[in-house]
Amino acid sequence: MRAVVVESFGGPEVLKAAEVADPTPGAGELLVKVAAAGVNYIDTYQRTGAYPMPTPFVPGLEGAGEVVAVGDGASRFKVGDRVAWGATIGSYAELTRVHEDGAVAVPDGVESDVAAGAMLQGMTAHYLTRSTYPVQSGDTVLVHAAAGGMGLLLTQSIKALGGRVIGTVSTAEKEKLAREAGADEIIRYTETEIAPEVRRLTDGQGVAVVYDGVGKDTFDASLESLRVRGTLALFGAASGPVPPFDLQRLNAAGSLFVTRPTLAHHVLTREELDWRSGEVFAAIQSGRLTIRIGGRYPLAEAARSHDDLQGRRTTGKLLLIP
Ligand SMILES: NC(=O)c1ccc[n+]([C@@H]2O[C@H](COP(=O)([O-])OP(=O)(O)OC[C@H]3O[C@@H](n4cnc5c(N)ncnc54)[C@H](OP(=O)(O)O)[C@@H]3O)[C@@H](O)[C@H]2O)c1
């Protein structure tokens, strides 16, 4: 089969499409013909070695496709079923092995490419807005990179919960998309200082929660934008990791909360995986949640997908189509 292989860590150029042996499913595993694989920021951290990986490896944690074989003891799915997953390495390939415990059924009416794009980021938006800080009706919320894959999903989720969204974006095109997703206010953070504008838009109060996947470049402004006892959910580092900081700042700025959550700790049981993925798929089916596919790339152009994502040239969800 064709797959993208990383032989050694580095820039996007280390993502090379190659002919490799077909995988065979082990005990409890499914062999899946991949219809689409999601491109995620974590793939870039694994590609560079910022998140250590054994090499060589086939990247990609997220995807959807059709079961073509089942391993010993796998009983939850059968050949022909459509499944999706959000935490199984090896998705940038024509075929991949997925343990049945990490797979969910793709419901009728949800296309496989949409399902591929819904798992990792959709469930992340779910846990951030339901569990990390449960958004209440009337809360004002700050979402950075509001036209990105996570940003568009967070914005829609917060609006569905009755919140008011202040989004940050870098360009007019991104502003338009974020507003279409429901953002009430937009700050062009490349031109306007974030925290004073947030204070102005909240009558000096600050926001209940900041969802910050940008990291190094926005962290200080995120803290300065919070109301007393507000929460900073730092869920990523698109601009680089946040350096160590003095916890006393949380006291001085209003008894703030800071957390650095990750999806793996929010789908710990089958019940939790089914609950979060089920609610994401139900929202898609009912039209309340749109997965905006911002780019589709063949496996041979995986490097370009990472280059575009890290170069701030993308909006919405990126997919690789084997
Ligand atoms: N913790 C979790 O469970 C979890 C799960 C999924 C994703 N994430 C995190 O969520 C974040 C967003 O992921 P995504 O895939 O949806 O990406 P994305 O938001 O579509 O792309 C990143 C965006 O960040 C903004 N940005 C600001 N400064 C940047 C810089 N110096 N370099 C690159 N981008 C910059 C850009 O938007 P503007 O041009 O508008 O500034 C860019 O388009 C990532 O940090 C990712 O690690 C975390």
Side-chain angles (χ1 to χ4, degrees):
M1 67 159 183
R2 299 279 289 167
V4 175
V5 181
V6 171
E7 296 280 352
S8 56
F9 301 127
E13 70 284 353
V14 303
L15 298 169
K16 296 212 170 74
E19 242 357 275
V20 299
D22 287 4
T24 45
E29 290 183 337
L30 314 168
L31 183 67
V32 182
K33 183 169 184 285
V34 179
V39 176
N40 288 287
Y41 239 91
I42 190 170
D43 307 345
T44 70
Y45 309 145
Q46 293 180 334
R47 187 203 74 220
T48 59
Y51 285 10
M53 296 289 293
T55 52
F57 70 99
V58 175
L61 293 167
E62 180 184 47
E66 185 184 324
V67 177
V68 292
V70 294
D72 289 345
S75 58
R76 201 179 280 275
F77 301 100
K78 60 183 189 317
V79 170
D81 285 351
R82 287 194 310 140
V83 294
W85 59 93
T88 303
I89 195 76
S91 305
Y92 288 13
E94 288 175 332
L95 294 167
T96 195
R97 293 158 38 204
V98 181
H99 198 283
E100 65 170 0
D101 291 346
V104 300
V106 178
D108 290 344
V110 177
E111 298 294 332
S112 293
D113 55 354
V114 170
M119 290 297 289
L120 197 155
Q121 293 182 349
M123 290 197 293
T124 297
H126 188 276
Y127 84 70
L128 286 171
T129 56
R130 265 69 162 194
S131 306
T132 302
Y133 174 89
V135 173
Q136 307 295 310
S137 182
D139 279 344
T140 301
V141 178
L142 179 61
V143 176
H144 289 307
M150 280 304 309
L152 290 175
L153 295 175
L154 283 167
T155 298
Q156 293 175 76
S157 302
I158 295 158
K159 292 307 294 176
L161 293 165
R164 170 183 178 228
V165 174
I166 303 175
T168 63
V169 299
S170 65
T171 67
E173 184 211 353
K174 290 184 176 187
E175 171 167 352
K176 184 164 175 290
L177 284 175
R179 286 193 188 278
E180 281 168 11
D184 301 277
E185 313 282 353
I186 289 292
I187 301 173
R188 298 265 198 96
Y189 55 176
T190 39
E191 297 159 18
T192 303
E193 221 188 311
I194 298 167
E197 186 62 4
V198 168
R199 292 282 160 196
R200 190 185 72 76
L201 292 167
T202 56
D203 297 326
Q205 296 296 302
V207 296
V209 56
V210 182
Y211 293 115
D212 187 344
V214 172
K216 180 167 70 68
D217 289 357
T218 44
F219 183 76
D220 287 336
S222 295
L223 280 186
E224 290 161 19
S225 298
L226 285 167
R227 73 177 184 202
V228 170
R229 303 203 311 246
T231 298
L232 170 47
L234 176 71
F235 66 96
S239 66
V242 175
F245 82 111
D246 179 2
L247 288 171
Q248 189 59 26
R249 284 175 65 191
L250 303 180
N251 169 331
S255 302
L256 304 179
F257 297 84
V258 176
T259 180
R260 177 62 178 88
T262 197
L263 175 60
H265 300 140
H266 293 83
V267 285
L268 286 176
T269 62
R270 183 77 216 183
E271 288 68 34
E272 203 169 30
L273 175 65
D274 285 342
W275 169 51
R276 296 197 195 281
S277 63
E279 291 206 350
V280 171
F281 281 136
I284 293 170
Q285 282 176 305
S286 70
R288 282 177 284 123
L289 184 69
T290 302
I291 307 288
R292 185 179 182 281
I293 312 290
R296 294 169 203 266
Y297 303 76
L299 289 183
E301 292 183 23
R304 189 165 62 84
S305 74
H306 280 211
D307 200 38
D308 288 349
L309 182 64
Q310 293 185 282
R312 295 173 84 162
R313 288 186 293 279
T314 65
T315 54
K317 180 75 205 178
L318 305 186
L319 296 176
L320 293 187
I321 309 293

